[in-house]
Amino acid sequence: MAYLILSSLTLPAFWLLLSGFWDHGLLLAFGALSVVIAAGFGLRMERLEPTCYRPAMLLRIPAYWVWLTGEIVKANIDVVKRIWWPQEHPISPTMQRLHCTQQTLLGKTIYANSITLTPGTVAIEVSDNEILVHALSGAALQDLATGDMDRRVTRLEGAR
Amino acid sequence: MALLLDLLTTLLLAAGVFLGISGGVGVHRFPDFYSRVHAAGVTDTLSAGCILLGLMLQAGLTLISMKLLFILLFLWYTSPVASHALTRAAEHSGLKPVLSEPRDAS
Amino acid sequence: MIFAAAALGILVVMGLALARAFLGPSVYDRILAVNMFGTKTVLLIAVYGFLTERPDFLDIAITYALINFIGIIAVLKFVERLDNGTLPD
């Protein structure tokens, strides 16, 4: 149900913004048709593996995005330093399993994607409560191992 | 005002191209596949972000900016998924990473 | 003028990525380089749209971003089925 409400709001908005046609009857009808088809495919996939949505998450996510963008900028500067000045900033690739505290699939996906999106760390494998991470430097892995990002994603997910 | 926007665009585009070239150089400097993923990550995240933000400043508050924002969102949603799938496939196929300490990875 | 310089810079990055795609020892290096080439192509199309003052190019850029992602996933699915991910090259 939550999925249907969410997609009936976002898909038409998406179509209108991409096409830029707001007052052409035939094209709007085609747009409505494509929205229905896309929502139908989405519903089929939802039946296979239901996602649990929490409305509160939509309110919390902008703040998380701002924080994540800051992290991405910092991580980029770090990696660029290691590329241009390998003597002063040597790389030390490490690989380690990290504990993660998210309960839902959506939360885990957000956490693993956030790890991969910040350059310097890549989530290789995600299991029930562990994530195998490859990091360009020990320092980047240490930052992650403090669990700051993990806590933020769990809070975003909404603790039960 | 227009001059300031042009200046900001120039700065952002220059930063984006610099980050892109850094990533391109990193892809050649780093020793193994797993570390090259990080260098490619630089070009996918902040380089793309800087260039698209610079273009957005030129377009102003229009549908064009909206489309640029969509491109940025697509890139930032798909690039981690692609890197994750790539490294997982490499790990499953038994490609061993070069690690700084000889400690066991698994 | 700015856009032309930016487009040239992006072309340099694409050249570097292409070199890695040719050199890359494992097939995963090549896929990584092709993925990087693809995202740079998206940016190049966007910048080119501004260079020629034809913002319609952005629609092509969006489509290219999506096709690039799906293409990489499809190639990965194909490579994963092979033994040890080594192509007979």
Side-chain angles (χ1 to χ4, degrees):
Chain A
M1 197 57 214
Y3 177 81
L4 217 55
I5 296 171
L6 213 59
S7 58
S8 63
L9 286 177
T10 51
L11 287 177
F14 186 59
W15 190 89
L16 283 174
L17 286 174
L18 270 192
S19 72
F21 289 110
W22 299 72
D23 50 2
H24 192 299
L26 182 67
L27 287 178
L28 282 179
F30 280 137
L33 185 69
S34 52
V35 164
V36 169
I37 292 174
F41 277 121
L43 272 180
R44 270 172 62 101
M45 285 159 85
E46 275 289 302
R47 241 183 290 144
L48 272 180
E49 197 153 306
T51 326
C52 91
Y53 296 98
R54 295 201 182 83
M57 208 168 161
L58 286 177
L59 297 176
R60 291 199 205 105
I61 211 152
Y64 180 73
W65 276 350
V66 171
W67 177 81
L68 186 64
T69 311
E71 290 296 300
I72 289 172
V73 173
K74 272 189 268 174
N76 266 289
I77 293 169
D78 182 63
V79 175
V80 168
K81 269 194 221 154
R82 285 174 207 278
I83 290 171
W84 289 110
W85 300 283
Q87 257 80 48
E88 290 89 337
H89 304 273
I91 63 168
S92 53
T94 40
M95 217 159 155
Q96 199 184 325
R97 284 184 191 280
L98 292 180
H99 187 68
C100 67
T101 55
Q102 288 78 34
Q103 281 145 0
T104 59
L105 279 177
L106 188 60
K108 267 189 206 110
T109 312
I110 293 176
Y111 185 40
N113 265 11
S114 306
I115 290 176
T116 313
L117 196 54
T118 46
T121 49
V122 171
I124 296 180
E125 203 163 19
V126 184
S127 56
D128 279 343
N129 51 11
E130 274 185 332
I131 295 183
L132 179 61
V133 178
H134 181 277
L136 188 58
S137 66
L141 197 68
Q142 283 307 311
D143 272 1
L144 212 55
T146 57
D148 187 28
M149 187 186 267
D150 181 54
R151 270 194 301 279
R152 277 172 197 270
V153 178
T154 307
R155 210 183 309 146
L156 172 78
E157 183 190 35
R160 271 175 291 191
Chain B
M1 196 58 203
L3 196 69
L4 187 69
L5 277 184
D6 280 355
L7 193 68
L8 269 176
T9 303
T10 314
L11 277 177
L12 281 169
L13 286 183
V17 168
F18 169 71
L19 284 165
I21 290 177
S22 305
V25 170
V27 159
H28 286 270
R29 273 198 180 174
F30 284 164
D32 75 324
F33 163 73
Y34 293 95
S35 43
R36 281 178 201 136
V37 173
H38 303 301
V42 173
T43 69
D44 280 357
T45 54
L46 203 58
S47 165
C50 281
I51 290 177
L52 291 175
L53 195 65
L55 294 182
M56 262 185 244
L57 288 181
Q58 285 295 304
L61 269 177
T62 51
L63 272 184
I64 299 170
S65 290
M66 210 60 218
K67 281 179 189 168
L68 287 168
L69 190 65
F70 275 139
I71 297 178
L72 186 60
L73 278 181
F74 283 151
L75 286 184
W76 280 19
Y77 267 98
T78 56
S79 94
V81 178
S83 324
H84 168 70
L86 201 59
T87 47
R88 200 191 50 176
E91 215 256 345
H92 278 200
S93 79
L95 189 67
K96 287 270 171 278
V98 178
L99 297 176
S100 63
E101 309 139 60
R103 199 180 54 195
D104 187 20
S106 59
Chain C
M1 186 54 216
I2 316 165
F3 299 133
L8 270 179
I10 294 171
L11 278 172
V12 171
V13 184
M14 286 167 80
L16 286 168
L18 210 55
R20 182 38 81 190
F22 276 116
L23 291 173
S26 74
V27 66
Y28 300 107
D29 286 288
R30 293 176 211 268
I31 301 176
L32 179 74
V34 170
N35 184 23
M36 194 172 148
F37 187 83
T39 48
K40 290 289 120 181
T41 311
V42 174
L43 295 181
L44 183 68
I45 296 172
V47 171
Y48 189 75
F50 275 75
L51 182 66
T52 53
E53 293 181 351
R54 285 171 65 189
D56 321 336
F57 271 69
L58 289 182
D59 296 323
I60 304 172
I62 290 176
T63 318
Y64 200 93
L66 292 174
I67 290 177
N68 180 49
F69 172 64
I70 294 169
I72 292 294
I73 297 297
V75 169
L76 269 177
K77 282 281 164 216
F78 170 69
V79 168
E80 260 186 323
R81 301 266 168 88
L82 297 171
D83 295 336
N84 299 325
T86 43
L87 281 176
D89 51 359

